[in-house]
DNA sequence: TAAACGTGGTC
DNA sequence: TGACCAAGTTT
């Protein structure tokens, strides 16, 4: 019994066989040559898994320099499972979305416990691991084991939204997009088909100025055929993001050491180190803010000195201006009140700790200011 | 369901 | 400079 147009309409504008043949032929000639895509890497589920996690919301070019380095440090799932969280975060430093690194390590431990150190081969078992959703699971299993499972990452959403001329934002039509992805997955070459979909999105069916004239799906693309490729996919309105002004302290002691703290394990930049500080309240000076925050967070008194640098940084859902001042420790033993740990370190030691990007900018400024330290 | 969660590149 | 975008998952 068919109940609605939406449920009964075909998921694809032409047969899957036609789409598969044209796309795979294009992929054989124009697909990208990526390390996790060819043997021996593609035959190692661990390598494919790490690449899929690193590539979440992250472009290939950004991931490339991290990829081999990761396996130098954590050659096997067992090595990752046993590694210190701090070492894992240091290897991930700069990639962002640090819950990915925490989840990767935790999932490695679960693979050891549940699957004897072998990455599981079923969708349900893969999705049960932290940090692996349906897209990543499909990506890993199709790539590593050539299983016919659909994916729906940003590239595929855009490609399929254009192919079917989706009239609403992809987030509002995930069921239809998953159905289209499932319909187009090749039974012969699922690995190549999925990789081809992503390559098409990354290199031809791009967000801005898609190269429709060289697209293997030009003749079938409902967006192109109706000249809507610039308007599709429909974008969602985005909420304005707040801008916070933060006072930050570089606190030095008479030995020339600097005080850093480790952020709580979960949440924003969880487990990473930083220079202490906090949000400037209305009608509060930067210096007053820094003194107050350091008293509240670390329980010590400091003297706030000259400004070292102002760092503007944009996160996904807010922006900050870090007003960083050089400070002197006056009295009190630093306590980890609103963080997980505090340490005095020298500039020579500081590179051993994982820091978020905005703080590495501060470290660079410090090294310039104190080149002999 | 919507917000939280990083960073680098482009226009 | 600011807005937008890029191989999403979690809560």
């Amino acid at each position: 019994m068919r109940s609605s147009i939406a449920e009964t309409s075909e998921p694809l504008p032409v047969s899957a066989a036609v789409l598969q043949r044209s796309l795979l032929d294009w992929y054989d000639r124009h697909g990208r040559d990526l390390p996790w895509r060819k043997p021996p890497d593609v035959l190692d589920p661990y390598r494919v898994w790490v690449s899929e996690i690193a590539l979440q919301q992250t472009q290939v070019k950004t991931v490339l320099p991290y990829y081999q380095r990761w396996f130098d440090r954590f050659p096997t799932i067992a090595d990752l499972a046993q590694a210190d969280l701090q070492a894992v975060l240091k290897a991930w430093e700069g990639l962002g979305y640090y819950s990915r690194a925490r989840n990767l390590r935790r999932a490695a431990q679960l693979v050891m416990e549940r699957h004897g150190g072998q990455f599981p081969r079923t969708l349900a078992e893969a999705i049960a691991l932290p940090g692996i959703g349906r897209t990543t699971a499909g990506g890993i299993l199709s790539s590593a084991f050539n299983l016919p499972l659909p994916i729906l990452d940003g590239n595929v959403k855009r490609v399929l939204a254009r192919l079917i001329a989706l009239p609403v934002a992809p987030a509002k039509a995930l069921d239809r997009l998953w159905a289209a992805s499932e319909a187009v997955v090749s039974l012969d070459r699922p690995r190549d088909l999925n990789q081809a979909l992503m390559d098409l999105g990354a290199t031809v069916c791009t967000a801005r100025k898609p190269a429709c004239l060289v697209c293997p799906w030009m003749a079938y693309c409902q967006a192109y055929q109706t000249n809507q490729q610039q308007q599709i996919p429909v974008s969602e309105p985005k909420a304005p993001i707040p801008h916070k002004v933060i006072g930050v302290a570089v606190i030095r002691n008479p030995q020339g050491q600097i005080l850093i703290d480790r952020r709580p394990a979960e949440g924003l930049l969880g487990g990473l180190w930083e220079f202490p500080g906090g949000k400037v309240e209305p009608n509060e000076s930067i210096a007053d803010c820094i003194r107050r925050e350091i008293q509240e967070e670390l329980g010590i008194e400091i003297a706030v000195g000259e400004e070292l640098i102002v760092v503007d940084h944009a996160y996904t859902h807010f922006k900050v201006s870090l007003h960083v001042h050089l400070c002197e420790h006056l009295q009190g033993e630093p306590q980890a009140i609103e963080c997980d740990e505090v340490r005095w370190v020298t500039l020579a030691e500081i590179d051993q700790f994982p820091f978020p990007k905005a703080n590495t900018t501060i470290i660079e400024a410090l090294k310039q200011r104190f080149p002999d330290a």
Side-chain angles (χ1 to χ4, degrees), chain A residues 212-238:
Chain A
C212 299
L213 295 182
V214 299
C215 180
W217 283 359
M218 176 174 66
Y220 322 118
C221 179
Q222 298 305 293
Y224 177 72
Q225 292 299 326
T226 56
N227 195 30
Q228 296 182 88
Q229 64 270 30
Q230 304 283 0
Q231 285 73 45
I232 296 176
V234 175
S235 60
E236 291 259 49
K238 292 179 176 67

Side-chain angles (χ1 to χ4, degrees), chain A residues 29 69 165 179 229 269 273 283 331 336 362:
Chain A
R29 286 180 286 126
R69 207 161 57 213
Q229 64 270 30
L269 306 170
W273 294 77
N283 302 317
Q331 59 175 308
I362 297 173

Side-chain angles (χ1 to χ4, degrees), chain A residues 28 61 314 361:
Chain A
D28 289 338
K61 186 182 176 185
T361 304

